[in-house]
Amino acid sequence: DVKVTQSSRYLVKRTGEKVFLECVQDMDHENMFWYRQDPGLGLRLIYFSYDVKMKEKGDIPEGYSVSREKKERFSLILESASTNQTSMYLCASSQSGRSTDTQYFGPGTRLTVL
Amino acid sequence: GQQLNQSPQSMFIQEGEDVSMNCTSSSIFNTWLWYKQDPGEGPVLLIALYKAGELTSNGRLTAQFGITRKDSFLNISASIPSDVGIYFCAGQYNYGQNFVFGPGTRLSVLP
């Protein structure tokens, strides 16, 4: 079974702090994604990566950056956390370019910024 | 851009009843995925569909890839309390492209 793990289930940070959210997948997938999920707004794509050291902006990249130094690990960084970044953050991974693409999610990190 | 609509937004049903929900798109998709999300958890993949007209089952769940390729349907038979959650559809326009997600259908099961 595909497994996507996220470093924390719950996180509380203060405004202005630098925040790291880590995601690891064990299926050798090329593609990895970071979403945030807010009530009434659904899933919104922040950043994604199709390969090591590669990153692409999603729909709402402002205030975030990412790092993909190893294939299995994709990190989301909040350089200076703000209260409007309080949200559920979901990491996902998928295989690339096959005729049966499927995307798998991690358990989520609920981040609260005070 | 591509958008997905899900219907209904929410539903309340009695335990034991069957459930139907659907997902529609303005664009043709090559892949449809259905997920279930429990409160405070990440979405879990239920069923993946890759061919127009395809009908796939997973236990009491059955999903269909619409023949127009612009819609997909999910049915749950004989609902039980643990079916409670939010059901999301996701569509992929072409292989290798990012998935687009629907807003979800919230299911409540009354005992």
Side-chain angles (χ1 to χ4, degrees):
Chain A
D1 277 353
V2 174
K3 197 162 183 191
V4 181
T5 57
Q6 295 183 228
S7 51
S8 304
R9 294 300 307 275
Y10 300 94
L11 214 48
V12 179
K13 295 291 181 180
R14 296 212 173 268
T15 300
E17 278 193 79
K18 191 167 185 175
V19 182
F20 292 88
L21 302 183
E22 305 283 344
C23 175
V24 177
Q25 50 93 5
D26 67 358
M27 283 300 292
D28 203 35
H29 284 170
E30 284 91 356
N31 308 329
M32 296 189 75
F33 307 83
W34 275 106
Y35 298 87
R36 64 177 283 178
Q37 185 179 35
D38 301 286
L41 296 176
L43 282 163
R44 293 183 290 168
L45 183 62
I46 305 171
Y47 267 97
F48 60 99
S49 169
Y50 286 159
D51 203 351
V52 175
K53 299 208 187 281
M54 178 267 180
K55 59 185 178 185
E56 292 281 351
K57 292 180 180 179
D59 300 319
I60 52 162
E62 295 77 21
Y64 303 95
S65 62
V66 290
S67 172
R68 190 147 181 221
E69 295 297 317
K70 292 186 178 181
K71 190 175 186 180
E72 67 271 18
R73 189 180 297 268
F74 192 34
S75 303
L76 180 69
I77 304 151
L78 287 66
E79 293 290 340
S80 177
S82 63
T83 54
N84 64 12
Q85 291 179 310
T86 291
S87 186
M88 173 73 139
Y89 288 87
L90 292 163
C91 175
S93 75
S94 72
Q95 192 58 286
S96 179
R98 299 190 309 180
S99 60
T100 55
D101 282 1
T102 309
Q103 191 164 108
Y104 298 92
F105 284 88
T109 295
R110 170 115 9 230
L111 173 67
T112 302
V113 183
L114 303 175
Chain B
Q2 301 153 12
Q3 290 196 354
L4 292 183
N5 297 306
Q6 283 190 248
S7 178
Q9 282 188 328
S10 62
M11 52 196 317
F12 292 82
I13 60 167
Q14 293 290 139
E15 185 176 352
E17 285 185 358
D18 297 343
V19 174
S20 291
M21 60 187 79
N22 68 63
C23 187
T24 58
S25 166
S26 56
S27 303
I28 290 173
F29 285 124
N30 276 347
T31 300
W32 288 97
L33 307 178
W34 283 93
Y35 293 88
K36 178 181 182 247
Q37 186 175 26
D38 291 328
E41 302 288 332
V44 173
L45 182 66
L46 299 173
I47 293 177
L49 302 161
Y50 300 109
K51 205 168 156 185
E54 180 181 357
L55 190 71
T56 298
S57 292
N58 178 4
R60 293 178 296 105
L61 277 62
T62 302
Q64 184 162 24
F65 194 137
I67 56 172
T68 66
R69 295 169 62 197
K70 290 185 176 182
D71 53 15
S72 180
F73 309 90
L74 178 69
N75 296 312
I76 306 173
S77 63
S79 59
I80 59 178
S82 62
D83 290 334
V84 165
I86 302 176
Y87 291 80
F88 290 99
C89 63
Q92 186 187 42
Y93 177 67
N94 212 348
Y95 306 124
Q97 290 192 331
N98 291 344
F99 281 92
V100 178
F101 290 85
T105 292
R106 184 181 294 273
L107 176 65
S108 300
V109 179
L110 306 172

